């Protein structure tokens, strides 16, 4: 039967789950950040040529961490908008928990979860695996890139670098948040405040997300393979 996990047990079983994976490993965590122990474990899986899929919703990786992740040939990353689930699976077990990968080994946190053994709970494992596969399908695979931090790149509402300009519209029919701010004679933060006040975006933790009203006004959410998630807006947007 499924086993209840407290904070320390979650840390222990998660490490064992990663170590025991011999065919596949799925990591689903909104916050994508790695401590030394996780890095060591993933490097070992990469050397063993284990298929590793990581689904995330918010990245807090420094450029050097991104370059490290890119060096792992058998690790693929996918961005999933509005992700809040935390789930970790290999071919024999699954962990469903409140703990982000970001919080691994942080024993001062109060976490809980359940450990599901495929042989003992085949139906529960299957349901968990199928939902994990659904999240992978609806996610956009992103090949992270950060060889150098582009000094001409700006920061958008998601807190990540936007595509560099290609002409006056960044290669799109619409403007990124920072380009629209520049056209309006505003700082990006000031425009974000106006977009918030107009109901076009809303806060999602430390980040922003597009609202139905923002979509109706022509706003779009995009993910760049090089720079990550950002917003696009009509050049004639009225606030």
């Amino acid at each position: 039967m499924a086993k209840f996990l407290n904070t320390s047990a979650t840390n222990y079983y998660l490490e064992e789950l990663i170590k025991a994976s011999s065919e596949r490993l799925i990591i689903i965590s909104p916050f994508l950040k790695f401590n030394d122990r996780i890095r060591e474990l993933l490097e070992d899986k990469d050397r063993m040529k284990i298929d590793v899929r990581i689904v995330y919703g918010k990245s807090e990786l420094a450029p050097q961490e991104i370059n490290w992740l890119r060096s792992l040939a058998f690790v693929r990353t996918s961005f999933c908008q509005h992700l809040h689930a935390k789930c970790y699976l290999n071919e024999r077990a699954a962990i469903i928990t409140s703990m982000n990968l970001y919080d691994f080994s942080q024993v001062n946190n109060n976490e809980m979860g359940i450990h599901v053994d495929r042989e003992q709970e085949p139906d529960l494992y299957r349901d968990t695996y199928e939902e994990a596969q659904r999240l992978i399908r609806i996610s956009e695979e992103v090949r992270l890139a950060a060889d150098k931090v582009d000094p001409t790149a700006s920061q958008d509402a998601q807190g990540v670098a936007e595509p560099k300009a290609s002409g006056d519209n960044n290669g799109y029919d619409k403007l990124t948040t920072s380009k629209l701010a520049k056209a309006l004679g505003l700082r990006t933060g000031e425009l974000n405040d106006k977009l918030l006040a107009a109901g076009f975006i809303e806060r999602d933790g430390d980040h922003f997300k597009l609202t139905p009203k923002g979509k109706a006004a022509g706003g779009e959410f995009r993910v760049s393979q090089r720079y990550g998630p950002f917003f696009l807006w009509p050049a004639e947007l009225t606030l």
Side-chain angles (χ1 to χ4, degrees):
M1 59 184 297
K3 181 179 300 183
F4 172 79
L5 306 176
N6 61 15
T7 303
S8 58
T10 300
N11 277 279
Y12 171 78
Y13 276 95
L14 175 54
E15 180 171 342
E16 292 302 305
L17 183 145
I18 296 174
K19 287 162 55 177
S21 58
S22 59
E23 297 176 10
R24 61 177 175 269
L25 174 65
I26 300 174
I27 293 174
I28 298 173
S29 176
F31 291 97
L32 188 57
K33 192 170 183 180
F34 307 97
N35 63 22
D36 289 343
R37 183 58 176 159
I38 289 292
R39 288 164 63 102
E40 178 184 293
L41 292 171
L42 290 180
E43 286 172 353
D44 186 51
K45 295 297 106 176
D46 190 65
R47 285 190 291 268
M48 295 171 63
K49 300 183 179 181
I50 305 301
D51 179 36
V52 179
R53 293 299 304 265
I54 300 176
V55 180
Y56 70 97
K58 301 176 180 67
S59 175
E60 296 189 358
L61 293 177
Q64 62 269 26
E65 291 179 301
I66 294 177
N67 285 330
W68 166 77
L69 193 56
R70 288 183 63 212
S71 71
L72 304 180
F74 294 89
V75 176
R76 290 182 288 168
T77 56
S78 299
F79 176 81
C80 183
Q81 190 176 12
H82 307 312
L83 181 67
H84 198 259
K86 298 97 174 176
C87 184
Y88 310 91
L89 305 91
N90 64 17
E91 64 276 6
R92 292 192 293 271
I95 295 173
I96 304 169
T97 177
S98 62
M99 190 179 75
N100 288 294
L101 190 66
Y102 180 98
D103 298 314
F104 176 78
S105 82
Q106 300 299 313
V107 293
N108 55 304
N109 290 350
N110 293 306
E111 308 285 359
M112 64 174 63
I114 61 169
H115 179 273
V116 179
D117 185 279
R118 182 179 183 178
E119 291 187 0
Q120 297 180 8
E121 298 279 356
D123 292 340
L124 182 54
Y125 176 88
R126 183 186 64 249
D127 291 344
T128 306
Y129 178 77
E130 289 178 354
E131 179 61 13
Q133 290 298 313
R134 186 188 72 83
L135 291 175
I136 291 173
R137 289 194 300 271
I138 67 173
S139 302
E140 180 168 348
E141 186 168 341
V142 176
R143 190 60 177 169
L144 298 171
D147 291 329
K148 294 181 180 179
V149 177
D150 190 339
T152 66
S154 56
Q155 298 294 313
D156 80 338
Q158 295 288 321
V160 296
E162 293 180 346
K164 286 200 321 184
S166 174
D168 293 330
N169 61 355
N170 291 326
Y172 299 102
D173 294 332
K174 298 179 180 181
L175 301 178
T176 60
T177 302
S178 64
K179 293 299 178 185
L180 179 59
K182 184 176 180 181
L184 295 174
L186 301 170
R187 294 194 299 270
T188 302
E190 292 175 332
L191 179 55
N192 284 334
D193 290 341
K194 290 182 178 293
L195 293 169
L196 276 168
F200 292 162
I201 59 175
E202 62 184 13
R203 292 197 177 277
D204 181 19
D206 294 331
H207 302 267
F208 298 110
K209 66 179 181 181
L210 192 64
T211 65
K213 185 176 179 180
K215 292 179 182 178
E220 297 181 29
F221 175 82
R222 296 286 186 90
V223 178
S224 163
Q225 289 192 352
R226 181 169 185 180
Y227 294 109
F230 62 98
F231 294 137
L232 291 174
W233 305 99
E236 66 279 7
L237 182 69
T238 301
L239 297 173

